[in-house]
Amino acid sequence: AAEAHLSKVACDALSSTWPHIFQPIINLPAEFLHSWESLDTTSQAEKLGKVLVHGEIGCESFVWGPAGELEGVVGWGRARLGSPAEDLSRLIASSLSPAARRDSAEDRLAHYHTSLAAKLYPRPLPFSFQEIHSAVQDLWLVGLTHALSSIASQLSRCQNKPDAVQALLDRAIALLTDCLDFVTRSQSSK
């Protein structure tokens, strides 16, 4: 329900500023919006156990060194205990282009799992690839919704930069489309 509310706030902001673009996407039947609000997005994620999660992870959270190495992660103001799938779903939704998100999100998740296994070796991983994959799928709408909300906020700050506005509008349209596709697939699989 929180994801649906956050999406509604972001959609209202987008549709009030760019009605010609977003009104056709956002004017959805009430039964569709109700099904979005009633999706269970936590079942698999809860099975993974609780770890420290960033809570607002995105590309802007990473600090990179001159040689391209990760030097740190900033913006821990919303850190808390939660499922590792929360940060992963947000990061995939906010950092990948729409095409990469649709075409290679699973490959990137597999890379994460393999890298984590190498980092933890010889200790066993706390979850299998299938478990983290299912949990990220369960939280996919959460990640997409947070990315959409972030884009709506960014759009309000860059009105005088037409190229940036167009790039963000394209991403918002793709995120909304992905949200709608996810809800449709979720409802048809019930």
Side-chain angles (χ1 to χ4, degrees):
E3 291 79 35
H5 175 72
L6 186 59
S7 292
K8 178 154 178 29
V9 169
C11 289
D12 287 348
L14 292 170
S15 65
S16 67
T17 309
W18 292 279
H20 61 288
I21 297 173
F22 291 101
Q23 282 299 329
I25 300 170
I26 294 171
N27 287 333
L28 301 170
E31 64 273 6
F32 186 87
L33 292 175
H34 175 71
S35 65
W36 185 333
E37 292 171 349
S38 64
L39 284 177
D40 176 13
T41 60
T42 59
S43 59
Q44 288 297 323
E46 289 174 351
K47 292 178 184 177
L48 296 181
K50 302 238 183 233
V51 298
L52 178 65
V53 296
H54 186 278
E56 267 189 325
I57 197 91
C59 292
E60 65 284 350
S61 304
F62 298 102
V63 178
W64 300 99
E69 73 282 2
L70 180 63
E71 289 190 346
V73 180
V74 298
W76 289 89
R78 295 199 180 194
R80 59 183 165 61
L81 290 178
S83 170
E86 291 178 45
D87 281 349
L88 287 169
S89 66
R90 285 187 181 116
L91 189 58
I92 290 170
S94 67
S95 65
L96 297 180
S97 70
R101 189 172 54 249
R102 293 176 189 135
D103 298 338
S104 67
E106 190 165 327
D107 293 338
R108 291 169 195 249
L109 191 56
H111 177 74
Y112 158 80
H113 191 262
T114 302
S115 298
L116 182 61
K119 191 78 165 169
L120 292 178
Y121 183 81
R123 293 174 287 164
L125 279 175
F127 42 77
S128 69
F129 173 75
Q130 188 54 47
E131 288 169 328
I132 191 68
H133 182 270
S134 294
V136 168
Q137 285 295 107
D138 279 359
L139 292 175
W140 190 236
L141 188 60
V142 174
L144 292 170
T145 300
H146 282 272
L148 182 62
S149 178
S150 173
I151 286 173
S153 173
Q154 292 172 47
L155 278 166
S156 68
R157 294 189 304 266
C158 68
Q159 293 297 319
N160 59 343
K161 301 174 186 168
D163 290 343
V165 167
Q166 188 58 54
L168 287 168
L169 287 174
D170 292 344
R171 289 192 69 209
I173 291 167
L175 282 166
L176 274 171
T177 302
D178 286 355
C179 287
L180 299 176
D181 288 347
F182 179 85
V183 173
T184 301
R185 283 193 317 272
S186 297
Q187 291 304 308
S188 65
S189 67
K190 285 185 175 181

